[in-house]
Amino acid sequence: MADNFKTRLRNETVIGPIISLPCADVADLLSRAGFDYLWIDLEHSPMSVTDAQLLLQAAGGRCPCVIRVPEVSEAWIKKALDTGCDGIVIPQIRSAAEARAAVAWCLYPPLGRRGAAATRAHAFGMDFAGYVARANEDLAIILQVEHIDAVNEIEAILQTPGVAALFVGPFDLSGSMGLLGQIGHGDVQAAIDRVIAASRAHGMPLGLYVVDGPSAADARARGFNMIALGTDSSYLVAAARAALAAAKGT
């Protein structure tokens, strides 16, 4: 497909919200809001893979969906991919060896070792041959760089075949440097700049989480083209507070 999510990652800036509430109506609503993709989060939410699949179904094909798994695990990756998501975000990649293993778990043989079964990804077996034929090419595999070990091994990670994008996690990165939450610290920003420079040199798409529009503009100016913009819960709270403040005249 010329316009699948993986191709768009290579050619344009994509912006989408993180969904952490296991509510199908939230995915339905946000899939109609004009975002380029939805990020369904299994790492920092109470959601199950069943919840994630229901959110995918609620999005109804209107908007590509990526799923972040909780850990670098073959079982979690397999379960997430079986939902039929367009991409997968794998957190806490710390080395090239972990990157290679993660990619292998995402790809069908002979390129990898992804297991096969009758699941939603290929219409419960009704489109098995068609899905398997295109899955390796279409799937966007996104690895998170959120530990100083990954920064120190960034060149080797970038040379891992099959990676569609890297995604910087500044909070966990700061924690791995003994500076938890101090994402503006010079050392943390220098580490992020190393990732930006290396990714640019390799032509690798790069992502970042931001909380608002101005921060997204800053991220784009720095070279990030996959923007995770806010969360479903943050939008709900912000809108409710704004409405209440307006109603009270405060």
Side-chain angles (χ1 to χ4, degrees):
M1 294 172 58
D3 58 350
N4 65 18
F5 183 67
K6 183 177 178 180
T7 300
R8 294 181 65 191
L9 267 176
R10 290 195 295 262
N11 297 320
E12 60 185 272
T13 298
V14 293
I15 301 173
I18 294 179
I19 299 179
S20 60
L21 301 175
C23 175
D25 285 340
V26 169
D28 190 339
L29 286 165
L30 292 177
S31 73
R32 302 173 189 272
F35 288 110
D36 299 302
Y37 73 98
L38 303 181
W39 171 312
I40 299 171
D41 194 21
L42 297 185
E43 184 185 20
H44 292 295
S45 81
M47 280 197 284
S48 67
V49 175
T50 300
D51 294 322
Q53 182 166 302
L54 291 173
L55 297 187
L56 273 165
Q57 291 168 318
R62 289 178 296 272
C63 190
C65 295
V66 304
I67 294 177
R68 177 164 65 176
V69 293
E71 62 183 10
V72 189
S73 156
E74 182 175 9
W76 274 110
I77 289 171
K78 185 187 306 182
K79 286 177 177 291
L81 295 181
D82 282 348
T83 67
C85 55
D86 298 278
I88 186 163
V89 181
I90 304 172
Q92 291 291 343
I93 294 295
R94 296 176 60 171
S95 68
E98 285 189 350
R100 288 192 298 269
V103 170
W105 294 330
C106 291
L107 300 177
Y108 286 120
L111 297 181
R113 49 181 285 189
R114 178 180 173 184
T119 65
R120 182 182 181 273
H122 40 68
F124 302 96
M126 290 184 285
D127 185 35
F128 181 82
Y131 176 79
V132 169
R134 63 182 183 272
N136 284 355
E137 178 61 29
D138 287 356
L139 180 67
I141 303 171
I142 302 155
L143 306 182
Q144 284 203 256
V145 176
E146 49 186 348
H147 195 283
I148 192 61
D149 290 350
V151 176
N152 291 333
E153 204 166 333
I154 192 62
E155 287 290 339
I157 291 172
L158 281 163
Q159 294 174 40
T160 306
V163 178
L166 299 183
F167 196 96
V168 175
F171 282 95
D172 283 347
L173 175 59
S174 69
S176 75
M177 300 173 68
L179 298 164
L180 182 60
Q182 300 179 53
I183 61 173
H185 192 284
D187 290 347
V188 177
Q189 288 301 309
I192 294 173
D193 285 340
R194 284 179 61 187
V195 178
I196 294 172
S199 297
R200 182 180 294 121
H202 285 263
M204 178 67 72
L206 190 61
L208 185 72
Y209 171 75
V210 299
V211 296
D212 54 30
S215 299
D218 291 342
R220 294 180 65 177
R222 292 183 73 184
F224 294 97
N225 73 297
M226 180 184 177
I227 307 297
L229 178 60
T231 67
D232 48 3
S233 55
S234 67
Y235 290 134
L236 180 62
V237 170
R241 284 178 170 169
L244 183 59
K248 290 185 173 182
T250 58

